[in-house]
Amino acid sequence: MEITELTIENFRPYYGEVTIKPRTEADHPLILIRGKNDTGKTSLFTAIRFCLYGAENRAEYTEHINRTAAEESGGTTRVEMTFLHDDEVYTIERGINYSQVDSADDRQAANWYREVRGPNGDIVEQGAKEQEYRRFINRILPENVAPFFLFDAEELQRFEESHDETVRESIETVLGIQEIENAVDDLNDRKRNFDREYADFESTASEVEALREELRDVMDELDEIGDDTEGEIAEIQEKIETKKANRREVRQELDKIQDTEPLRQEKQDLQEELHAAETDLQETIEQRDKLRRELGPIMAARGRQVFRDNYDIEGASGEAEVLHQIINDDDRDTCICGEPLTDEKHQQLSERYVKLHSPQRRRLTALMEICQNVDTVVSSELDRYQQYQATIRRLRQNIEDTQAEIEEIQSQIDEIEQAAKAGLKEKETQLNNEIQELEGTLNKKRERKGELTSEKQRLETRIAGMEEADSEAERYRELSTLAERCEQAFEDIKEELVESRRKSVEDHATETFLKLTNRPDYYQGIEITENYELQVKTPNATRSLEEQDPSAGQTQIIAYSFIAGLSKYTTRNAPVVIDTPIGRLDPEHKANLVDFYHEFSDQVIILYQPNELSTDDIGEMAEFIADHYEITIRDDDLSSSTIKELPDVMEAAAEVES
């Protein structure tokens, strides 16, 4: 399916007739439609859905009528879509008739219609029943699969519940599995009819009659238990789905509670700082300890200081020898300083020599000289040791402060979540328990059904072996057996196809996710369970989205990847229409998605706000863009909008940014 033309007339903010022709080519699958807030971007998205599937009630039909048009005169609100499907051209038109009113608030949908025109004329006329239209649209794009092709990117978190029964059926429809399931159900119905014919067949043999009576009782109980479409099993499943719907509402309320993501990010940043500080501390301690093992110079320095502080070591090296020469030179009459060598002076020099020449003084002087040789090295080593000690004290204090901050932030997170979520979590737990109890009952019913089915087969085998069974009864038995074999064959085909398609979708979703995520080194892919529940694979574990609890942006990327996988293997070739494409994505996610949009489908229509896609973003997509439109407010009516084609993609983007 490829939309080739869309005409909107008097629909919501679009006054009068507005037409766009979003034709695409194989190498140019992208259509960009730019619109500021409150200009009609989402209304255009709504118009596409309305044209395909109509509205729920009169009030919704009335909301679609343009206010200005209703005040001006009576008329028709309509949306007309022309598209290609299997190389044939089709047109769907939906309209709402209304009368003129004095105030737009009083406008009212009088009646509405829809029709389908094909290559050879009308396919569904205006007066045809809805069932006839549903048969047509189900061949193109059934309503239950539309959310995988027409979606608001900001609401993609709903795929967290993608394992629910309704969504599971939609996914299987997208993958072409539901048609096989329908065939299985039809064969099951035929088999039941044949079984009843066989069980009701009259026989004169009393034993056969008794067996058939027993068989009827078994079949009645089987009918009472039912299956996925009717009976007790269906009722229990419906209750389970109701409980799950209630649980979804609770989870939606939980999502509205204050977001703790900024606090969690702050905590993560502090944890990284803590790890870095602990690493630095360990390295500094190792360096200090290494220096401690080299304490010889430090102890020498300390000994030298003790000598300096506690002993009066005077005299220069060799002073004693010089004094000895002067004292023993009888012919000398002057000192080396030039002063006369009197008797008094001679006496002073002798006393000085005796003091310097004592054994204790000589040892201290020699030790002082040795210590002096290491003075320079010791000084630098002491400085370095003190620096290590100061760094260790500072790092330990930083670690202690950071740990305190982390505990305080965690306390804030716990306080927010415990206070706000306590009641809802309790309700969620209660619903989980009720769902678990119902699923237990459902399993018991299915076990009983298995027992009854075995008993039924036993009775049928005995009855079939009775000689009194005539050719008519035998024919019904053969037809029942044939229907059962065909049903089993289709079941086998379905199981094989389900597993094959699920694995293919999983592989492509993983490939896409690793392209789009901003953490490809952490995430390892996406896993899809048998119930189509999305799970995220990391180096440490594989967890459901609820357990992994990714951010809103990461959840949006996971959903995008899942949709890409479905689009790759769908049997429904349809355009992808995305409203608010970027949503809550960060710049890295956004850049990855911009590079990927052209791979989603053969036709991708993106309705974006100017601040979502920059000139650089559009430049990245330029080679894949087939056309570019802009939604603007009309000059002659500020309450109405129109759509114009932009002549040059890059010029238009640059003009908006400037």
Side-chain angles (χ1 to χ4, degrees), residues 113-332:
Y113 67 90
R114 45 99 186 91
E115 62 180 12
V116 181
R117 301 184 291 275
N120 301 315
D122 288 345
I123 296 176
V124 179
E125 297 180 349
Q126 287 193 17
K129 293 181 178 180
E130 183 65 16
Q131 184 178 2
E132 186 175 344
Y133 175 77
R134 290 294 168 181
R135 280 198 297 269
F136 168 79
I137 199 63
N138 285 345
R139 291 190 295 108
I140 310 296
L141 187 64
E143 186 173 3
N144 67 323
V145 307
F148 299 107
F149 298 92
L150 316 174
F151 56 87
D152 184 331
E154 283 192 323
E155 298 176 0
L156 284 177
Q157 285 83 352
R158 69 178 183 273
F159 289 109
E160 183 177 347
E161 294 291 331
S162 60
H163 55 285
D164 285 349
E165 184 68 15
T166 302
V167 179
R168 182 187 67 80
E169 292 179 1
S170 300
I171 293 171
E172 292 186 348
T173 300
V174 171
L175 299 177
I177 297 167
Q178 195 60 42
E179 285 81 354
I180 298 177
E181 182 66 33
N182 294 338
V184 170
D185 291 341
D186 290 343
L187 286 166
N188 185 50
D189 289 340
R190 296 299 299 272
K191 182 180 183 305
R192 288 170 60 185
N193 291 335
F194 293 143
D195 289 342
R196 285 196 172 279
E197 291 289 345
Y198 180 75
D200 290 339
F201 190 82
E202 293 184 359
S203 174
T204 57
S206 59
E207 186 178 356
V208 172
E209 185 60 32
L211 289 174
R212 286 181 173 169
E213 182 63 31
E214 188 176 348
L215 179 60
R216 278 192 287 271
D217 292 339
V218 170
M219 292 177 63
D220 287 342
E221 188 174 352
L222 278 171
D223 287 343
E224 186 177 342
I225 292 175
D227 53 26
D228 292 343
T229 59
E230 59 184 359
E232 293 176 348
I233 288 178
E235 290 176 3
I236 295 172
Q237 286 181 326
E238 184 177 356
K239 289 179 182 179
I240 291 174
E241 290 307 312
T242 300
K243 298 290 184 184
K244 287 183 176 180
N246 293 338
R247 185 176 62 183
R248 283 196 299 274
E249 292 177 0
V250 170
R251 288 176 176 173
Q252 288 171 358
E253 289 299 318
L254 283 169
D255 290 340
K256 294 177 183 177
I257 293 173
Q258 179 182 353
D259 187 8
T260 57
E261 185 66 24
L263 288 173
R264 292 182 184 276
Q265 185 61 49
E266 183 179 354
K267 176 185 171 184
Q268 183 176 346
D269 293 342
L270 287 172
Q271 287 174 329
E272 291 175 359
E273 292 178 12
L274 178 63
H275 177 71
E278 290 173 340
T279 301
D280 290 345
L281 176 61
Q282 183 61 35
E283 291 176 354
T284 305
I285 290 174
E286 290 174 359
Q287 292 170 348
R288 183 202 63 185
D289 291 346
K290 180 180 178 183
L291 187 57
R292 276 180 173 172
R293 292 191 292 271
E294 300 170 356
L295 281 178
I298 297 176
M299 293 180 66
R302 181 56 181 161
R304 179 174 176 272
Q305 187 64 41
V306 170
F307 291 136
R308 283 178 174 173
D309 294 344
N310 295 282
Y311 297 94
D312 179 20
I313 303 174
E314 298 178 355
S317 176
E319 182 182 353
E321 288 77 5
V322 172
L323 290 174
H324 182 265
Q325 291 175 6
I326 294 172
I327 294 168
N328 294 311
D329 188 352
D330 296 333
D331 297 328
R332 193 178 190 93

Side-chain angles (χ1 to χ4, degrees), residues 87-101:
D87 295 326
E88 298 283 356
V89 179
Y90 299 90
T91 298
I92 300 175
E93 179 179 342
R94 281 191 185 269
I96 307 167
N97 296 316
Y98 58 86
S99 301
Q100 181 182 7
V101 292

Side-chain angles (χ1 to χ4, degrees), residues 393-406:
R393 287 193 297 271
R394 176 178 58 78
L395 287 172
R396 281 175 173 164
Q397 184 61 47
N398 288 347
I399 289 171
E400 182 178 343
D401 294 343
T402 303
Q403 287 174 333
E405 286 186 63
I406 290 172

